[in-house]
Amino acid sequence: MGVVVATRSGRVRGRVDDGVAVFLGIPYAAAPFGEHRFTAPAPVTAWTGVRDALAYGPTAPKAPFPPPMDRLLADPSIPGDECLNLNVWAPAGAAGRPVMVWIHGGSLRNGSSSLPAYDGRNFARDGVVLVSINYRLGIEGFGVFPDAPANLGLRDQIAALTWVRDNIAAFGGDPGNVTVFGESAGSISIGALLTSPHAQGLFHRAVLQSGAPAAQPPEAAGRSTRLIAKRLKIPATAEAFARVDRARLLAAQVSITRGGPPIGNGNGFTLTVDGDVLPRDPMVALHGGAAADIPVLLGYNAEEYRLWFVPTGLVDRINRLTLRLALAKFRVRARTARAYRAARPEATPGELLGAIATDRLLRRPLNLLADARPGDTWLYEFAWPSPVERLGACHALEIGFVFDTLGTPDGLPLSGPNPPQELADAMHRAWIAFATTGDPGWSPWNPSRPVMRFDAPTSLLVHAPNDDELRSWS
């Protein structure tokens, strides 16, 4: 059955399936090409009549994940210029419902809102208006130029949240009760949004899944931009990049950023401390009390590293010598290495390095952030081990549980054919409770350091798992 909703830019036609109204591919900003290439997001030109919102909109320009990640992580590509679009799932006929806005991950150079695992109908089934967004990626979204605004992809996210504030009531959502949630690069983005003056008042709660807030000064953040410019033999300016064919630019980007896992030191894209949309390093700002009035749910997966270390064979190629060299390179203290060895006597050198990398980049900074925040904060750990290819509780595995979309084609390569539905029920219920009431259902962070460990068949409230290892870093 069709349904029409009026937005500030014009009317859109969606469909109603089993009590859920679905609207796909609604533009929230102008197409970021032509005169709008490498500029801040521009308003959408209003349309007359009714615009169909029945299929996912174009995705931002990106290359597929390289092997072997391409068989584990789906990344559909939909051609077209209007890639600044979003999707809405809402209970049919609803009004004043809590709103959740999903920001996808993908190392700031992959991903989109059109994955089946991100389908929001089960959130809508349970009373939430779910919005998912696309934003510019790679050099188009996170290039650093002297003649263009920085953090264009982050500015896109802010434009999408502004659209939600201005339009979501027409879809049955409450613009005064908006929760942003995201994973990996989406989580890192949310850390920045919490501290950006441009995003103030656009959301009221935040969930950070497997991504610690971070940003770099322009000189460091611009390294990939300069390398791509060198490869293309052009000046490292937005004006010069805007004259390059999109396919040629993407090919140059791939050649520069290829190789090395996202948790390593390879070339890639980061957020930039630009003095405008991001005045300070977001982690520093949050430690200093920024966003103290916004309840935050933070979490990580117990074996994040396995997504990159296991399918590539890296976990088996690391021996004792390469482990020692890596620990020296990253200035990991001897007592920290001893603590990890003591807790994992059967672990291989590759598994030890992966555990240390997971904690260095995710678990430890998120615990320290919880310690520093004066506002309400909750922590979780996702610990269910996938039986697929020794992936364990790897990066991105929790997403299908949060969305309650287990069994989708893009989720099966990570979780296998029989993931525990009771775990999805528990996580999905906790995320909805947090968005609805500001309380996911367990004790907020306090001196006893409570962490909800999501596992199957039983999830338990524990107290800072592996706390001895965390203390060894100090």
Side-chain angles (χ1 to χ4, degrees):
M1 181 177 68
V3 58
V4 175
V5 168
T7 74
R8 293 195 178 187
S9 299
R11 292 180 294 166
V12 293
R13 178 184 291 109
R15 65 179 183 274
V16 177
D17 295 327
D18 295 328
V20 174
V22 183
F23 301 81
L24 305 175
I26 302 173
Y28 65 82
F33 301 106
E35 64 179 318
H36 299 306
R37 198 171 184 198
F38 297 110
T39 69
V44 173
T45 300
W47 58 87
T48 58
V50 180
R51 178 183 179 125
D52 280 342
L54 302 172
Y56 286 112
T59 54
K62 54 190 169 67
F65 283 109
M69 292 300 141
D70 58 342
R71 61 182 172 79
L72 294 173
L73 300 175
D75 197 10
S77 183
I78 302 173
D81 286 351
E82 288 188 321
C83 60
L84 300 186
N85 59 69
L86 52 77
N87 315 299
V88 180
W89 290 263
R97 299 296 180 92
V99 179
M100 298 185 73
V101 179
W102 171 250
I103 302 178
H104 69 78
S107 300
L108 299 178
R109 61 180 186 258
N110 282 94
S112 75
S113 64
S114 54
L115 272 68
Y118 301 162
D119 189 296
R121 68 182 61 252
N122 288 338
F123 276 105
R125 174 200 66 194
D126 296 329
V128 170
V129 176
L130 193 287
V131 179
S132 62
I133 70 173
N134 287 338
Y135 56 94
R136 277 174 282 186
L137 302 169
I139 194 70
E140 302 275 359
F142 298 96
V144 179
F145 306 104
D147 56 339
N151 298 307
L152 290 175
L154 189 67
R155 293 172 191 267
D156 294 342
Q157 296 168 15
I158 293 169
L161 288 169
T162 302
W163 185 98
V164 169
R165 180 197 64 193
D166 295 342
N167 293 281
I168 205 64
F171 295 83
D174 178 2
N177 184 8
V178 176
T179 299
V180 290
F181 70 129
E183 185 266 348
S184 193
S187 175
I188 294 169
S189 297
I190 291 170
L193 293 170
L194 282 165
T195 68
S196 174
H198 294 238
Q200 296 305 298
L202 296 179
F203 60 94
H204 312 91
R205 301 184 183 99
V207 184
L208 282 71
Q209 300 172 210
S210 299
Q216 292 187 346
E219 176 66 21
R223 172 178 167 80
S224 290
T225 303
R226 296 190 299 272
L227 290 172
I228 294 170
K230 183 177 180 180
R231 176 62 61 94
L232 292 169
K233 297 181 173 58
I234 62 173
T237 65
E239 181 183 12
F241 271 72
R243 292 195 296 266
V244 178
D245 174 77
R246 271 184 263 170
R248 181 169 170 248
L249 178 53
L250 191 58
Q253 174 183 302
V254 170
S255 69
I256 293 300
T257 59
R258 182 188 296 118
I263 60 174
N265 278 345
N267 297 318
F269 297 96
T270 69
L271 300 179
T272 309
V273 179
D274 61 1
D276 178 22
V277 71
L278 200 52
R280 289 195 292 164
D281 181 315
M283 185 66 92
V284 173
L286 290 167
H287 275 253
D293 59 329
I294 297 181
V296 172
L297 173 59
L298 307 168
Y300 50 87
N301 295 357
E303 299 172 297
E304 300 270 5
Y305 74 95
R306 285 187 174 271
L307 180 62
W308 302 289
F309 278 36
V310 175
T312 61
L314 180 62
V315 71
D316 298 319
R317 293 197 302 270
I318 295 170
N319 56 33
R320 291 181 181 179
L321 175 59
T322 52
L323 172 61
R324 287 198 298 270
L325 292 173
L327 296 181
K329 178 180 179 180
F330 293 110
R331 299 179 181 178
V332 176
R333 297 178 180 182
R335 69 176 181 179
T336 297
R338 287 195 298 270
Y340 280 79
R341 288 191 185 98
R344 298 167 175 81
E346 303 300 320
T348 66
E351 289 170 336
L352 281 174
L353 181 59
I356 290 170
T358 294
D359 288 1
R360 179 177 182 267
L361 295 170
L362 286 168
R363 186 160 64 92
R364 181 171 181 264
L366 291 177
N367 272 259
L368 292 175
L369 177 56
D371 287 338
R373 270 182 53 83
D376 288 340
T377 306
W378 287 261
L379 249 70
Y380 76 88
E381 178 184 75
F382 179 84
W384 179 74
S386 169
V388 176
E389 297 186 27
R390 298 186 295 154
L391 286 174
C394 70
H395 192 68
L397 180 60
E398 88 289 355
I399 295 172
F401 293 85
V402 169
F403 275 81
D404 190 16
T405 52
L406 298 178
T408 58
D410 51 322
L412 288 173
L414 288 183
S415 67
N418 297 300
Q421 180 60 44
E422 67 270 22
L423 183 56
D425 294 341
M427 294 194 78
H428 184 69
R429 184 168 56 245
W431 265 239
I432 288 177
F434 182 69
T436 303
T437 69
D439 182 350
W442 63 91
S443 300
W445 195 253
N446 60 59
S448 71
R449 305 169 69 78
V451 177
M452 176 57 75
R453 176 180 281 166
F454 286 104
D455 202 348
T458 304
S459 297
L460 297 171
L461 188 65
V462 298
H463 297 281
N466 304 321
D467 206 21
D468 289 343
E469 294 174 1
L470 291 180
R471 282 195 293 266
S472 74
W473 292 85
S474 302

